[in-house]
Amino acid sequence: MPEEREPLAQAFHQALRAAMQRLAGQDGHHWFFQPAVAASHAAEEAPARRRWQDFSRAPGSCCQSLALRVDLGCPGLDAQGRPASFGVPAQVVSRYLRRHGITPLCTGDYRVLLFLPRDAQPEHARPLVDKLLEFKRWHDEDAPLKQVIPDLLESSPLYNYLGLRELCAMIHEASLRLRLAELAAASVGTAIRGAVSPAALYGYLVNGETEWVELADLGGRVVVSLIGAGPADPPLLLPGDRVPLEPRALVDYLLALRTFGEHFPGFEPLLQGVEVDARGRHVVRCVKPAALALRLAP
């Protein structure tokens, strides 16, 4: 870690250790966040981007975007990455942090990624740890959502009657029931085959040879747009890819995310390339099968 970042990292670790020591002496304490802190340098982490922007010939003192990366692990997965019986979903933690002026860079199911800017001082580490402690206290007390995250009430009247711990338990249980972690891993490992070149795909678009297809019917279809589970996640499908008929993990994952969003307003996944039509159906633009058959005909 570069020398200028060490005081901030040390301050964060010190504040975290102090918090955990205080918690260890309290009755009923059984969880807290598990952060991994590392220095991040944009030019080192993204060499392809650096070359594209022609930063490779810049002096070493130029384009310095050094930041302290705080990768917070929330309870919910065991050491092997399998779902645990108890969980504190990262979506809820991020919602709470944003309410207090701390904006995560991205949020997973049980991970929150934060960047402290390069001009941050060691004293800036303490407020973050304090907010994490505050969240834990509200969670363990099952404080009413209308007190802890009142803006959630705009999404659904259900939240008027829930506490923070109850909401976390409901979201965690829904994630287990929908097998989100399992399906996400299977989707990333699914072999995807590009079926249409960019030039051919453009031809289908300008000739009106596309149609909207419901998520459940995506198997075997060629998508027109990038499909992703969220802006911070790697894409599941690129334009021109054919959705596999088997295995159905990718389609099942998109369906599970849709179901999750329907059950928890305000926490809907930001599905890329998926639209909601006038009938409330989640649809994806695909190439018409007849158009594909015509182009492939001898």
Side-chain angles (χ1 to χ4, degrees), residues 266-283:
F267 295 100
E268 300 92 342
L270 299 175
L271 297 177
Q272 294 177 284
V274 180
E275 303 288 341
V276 180
D277 66 11
R279 296 164 57 185
R281 303 176 305 170
H282 287 68
V283 293

Side-chain angles (χ1 to χ4, degrees), residues 6 19 28 42 44 49 57 77 122 124 127 135 153 157-158 162 241 248 298:
E6 289 181 358
E44 294 175 359
R49 180 181 300 175
R57 293 191 295 272
L77 301 175
H124 293 156
F135 179 92
L153 275 59
L158 170 68
L162 293 180
D241 282 349
R248 281 185 51 89

Side-chain angles (χ1 to χ4, degrees), residues 131-151:
K131 284 303 169 188
L132 295 176
L133 282 167
E134 187 177 79
F135 179 92
K136 174 179 167 53
R137 177 165 59 86
W138 289 132
H139 171 278
D140 293 349
E141 294 176 0
D142 199 22
L145 288 175
K146 57 186 176 184
Q147 174 184 348
V148 182
I149 317 177
D151 54 298

Side-chain angles (χ1 to χ4, degrees), residues 198-215:
L201 192 63
Y202 178 75
Y204 292 127
L205 281 168
V206 298
N207 292 322
E209 296 173 321
T210 64
E211 61 185 354
W212 293 102
V213 178
E214 291 192 63
L215 291 181

Side-chain angles (χ1 to χ4, degrees), residues 252-268:
D252 289 343
Y253 181 44
L254 292 173
L255 289 170
L257 290 173
R258 181 200 64 184
T259 301
F260 179 89
E262 291 172 346
H263 280 80
F264 298 101
F267 295 100
E268 300 92 342

Side-chain angles (χ1 to χ4, degrees), residues 109-295:
D109 292 336
Y110 298 98
R111 301 193 78 82
V112 179
L113 182 62
L114 297 150
F115 272 86
L116 300 181
R118 59 181 177 179
D119 58 349
Q121 301 300 314
E123 56 267 24
H124 293 156
R126 182 60 182 267
L128 172 58
V129 175
D130 287 344
K131 284 303 169 188
L132 295 176
L133 282 167
E134 187 177 79
F135 179 92
K136 174 179 167 53
R137 177 165 59 86
W138 289 132
H139 171 278
D140 293 349
E141 294 176 0
D142 199 22
L145 288 175
K146 57 186 176 184
Q147 174 184 348
V148 182
I149 317 177
D151 54 298
L152 265 181
L153 275 59
E154 301 173 4
S155 301
S156 171
L158 170 68
Y159 297 134
N160 277 291
Y161 311 102
L162 293 180
L164 182 59
R165 185 178 65 217
E166 187 177 9
L167 174 66
C168 288
M170 289 173 63
I171 290 180
H172 180 63
E173 290 168 6
S175 298
L176 295 180
R177 185 174 63 255
L178 293 169
R179 301 165 45 231
L180 289 181
E182 176 187 340
L183 289 173
S187 297
V188 172
T190 300
I192 303 297
R193 181 170 61 89
V196 174
S197 69
L201 192 63
Y202 178 75
Y204 292 127
L205 281 168
V206 298
N207 292 322
E209 296 173 321
T210 64
E211 61 185 354
W212 293 102
V213 178
E214 291 192 63
L215 291 181
D217 300 324
L218 274 183
R221 302 301 299 267
V222 175
V223 299
V224 171
S225 305
L226 180 148
I227 307 298
D233 295 329
L236 299 172
L237 294 164
L238 296 176
D241 282 349
R242 186 184 297 277
V243 182
L245 281 169
E246 294 292 340
R248 281 185 51 89
L250 195 151
V251 174
D252 289 343
Y253 181 44
L254 292 173
L255 289 170
L257 290 173
R258 181 200 64 184
T259 301
F260 179 89
E262 291 172 346
H263 280 80
F264 298 101
F267 295 100
E268 300 92 342
L270 299 175
L271 297 177
Q272 294 177 284
V274 180
E275 303 288 341
V276 180
D277 66 11
R279 296 164 57 185
R281 303 176 305 170
H282 287 68
V283 293
V284 173
R285 186 181 289 277
C286 298
V287 179
K288 292 180 178 179
L292 279 173
L294 185 63
R295 291 285 181 96

